[in-house]
Amino acid sequence: DIQMTQSPSTLSANVGDRVTITCRASQSFVDWVAWYQQKPGKAPKLLIYKASTLESGVPSRFSGSGSGTEFSLTISSLQPDDFAMYYCQQYTGYPWTFGQGTKVEIK
Amino acid sequence: QVQLQESGPGLVKPSETLSLTCTVSGGSIGSYWSWIRQPPGRGLEWIGYVYNSGSTYYNPSLKSRVTISVDTSKNQLSLMLTSVTAADTATYYCAKDKNGGAFDYWGQGALVTVSS
């Protein structure tokens, strides 16, 4: 299985901050990566797919980048609605796997 | 707007079979559909997918116990997980595949507790 290791596990930040979450794949040549936001009691919401393509309707402050084994999700200016859990997911190789999650909390 | 709704028993006894249904509305069932689960307070695990032709792929970690099927006449997909234990306690989500593995539409989730 391709393991996706997210860092940090928890990120404390202020409104307006630029934040970056990183996901490292255990194998090379991972191309297909998605990022999700999840709020308590809710289903995950797709933010980014194919590593860097913004899902329709998602604010442009969210962006994704990376290739190979290193991927990142950046929020350019953190908004109150952005405090949540974030997960990366690879769908290059079976079984599709998720990172363990990053909690973005208010500093 | 595609909507997904999971339904099924919220409590299953150990060693029995977990069965859930996902009803799809507002769009065609002509796509890949996955089941994903999330134990309380933990991360996400992909269980497997079904295509509207009936072809499937399962996570090897669950393959021996899982069956996913689709009923195109009812716009429904289903999940069966046999011989459940407490480790199978989770919120189970059905989700639509956007482009080969990213999930753009999700159900609200169904919490299934395995307990006697």
Side-chain angles (χ1 to χ4, degrees), chain B residues 49-78:
Chain B
Y49 71 60
V50 63
Y51 186 55
N52 68 339
S53 65
S55 63
T56 55
Y57 193 97
Y58 303 135
N59 190 324
S61 68
L62 297 167
K63 185 177 181 179
S64 63
R65 299 194 291 132
V66 170
T67 302
I68 298 175
S69 59
V70 63
D71 186 335
T72 55
S73 67
K74 295 181 179 179
N75 265 26
Q76 290 181 335
L77 52 151
S78 64

Side-chain angles (χ1 to χ4, degrees), chain A residues 1 32 34 36 38 41-46 49-50 55 87 89 91 94-96 98-100, chain B residues 34 36 38 42-46 49 57 59-60 93 97-104 106-107:
Chain A
D1 297 8
W32 303 86
Y36 301 88
Q38 187 179 33
K42 300 294 186 181
K45 173 187 175 182
L46 179 64
Y49 62 97
K50 287 194 292 185
E55 172 69 348
Y87 294 94
Q89 178 220 346
Y91 51 106
Y94 290 116
W96 298 335
F98 293 86
Q100 79 279 17
Chain B
S34 281
I36 298 150
Q38 184 172 37
R42 299 183 61 184
L44 299 158
E45 180 181 31
W46 175 69
Y49 71 60
Y57 193 97
N59 190 324
Y93 295 99
D97 189 318
K98 181 179 179 71
N99 72 332
F103 309 112
D104 56 350
W106 296 64

Side-chain angles (χ1 to χ4, degrees), chain A residues 42-83:
Chain A
K42 300 294 186 181
K45 173 187 175 182
L46 179 64
L47 301 174
I48 301 286
Y49 62 97
K50 287 194 292 185
S52 60
T53 303
L54 190 69
E55 172 69 348
S56 175
V58 174
S60 59
R61 63 180 180 273
F62 291 92
S63 64
S65 64
S67 63
T69 60
E70 295 277 341
F71 298 86
S72 62
L73 173 72
T74 297
I75 309 172
S76 61
S77 177
L78 202 62
Q79 298 302 301
D81 191 49
D82 301 337
F83 292 97

Side-chain angles (χ1 to χ4, degrees), chain B residues 6 18 20 37 39 62 66 69 74 86 91 94 106 116:
Chain B
E6 302 93 346
L18 179 159
L20 292 173
R37 69 180 183 178
L62 297 167
V66 170
S69 59
K74 295 181 179 179
T91 295
C94 56
W106 296 64
S116 56

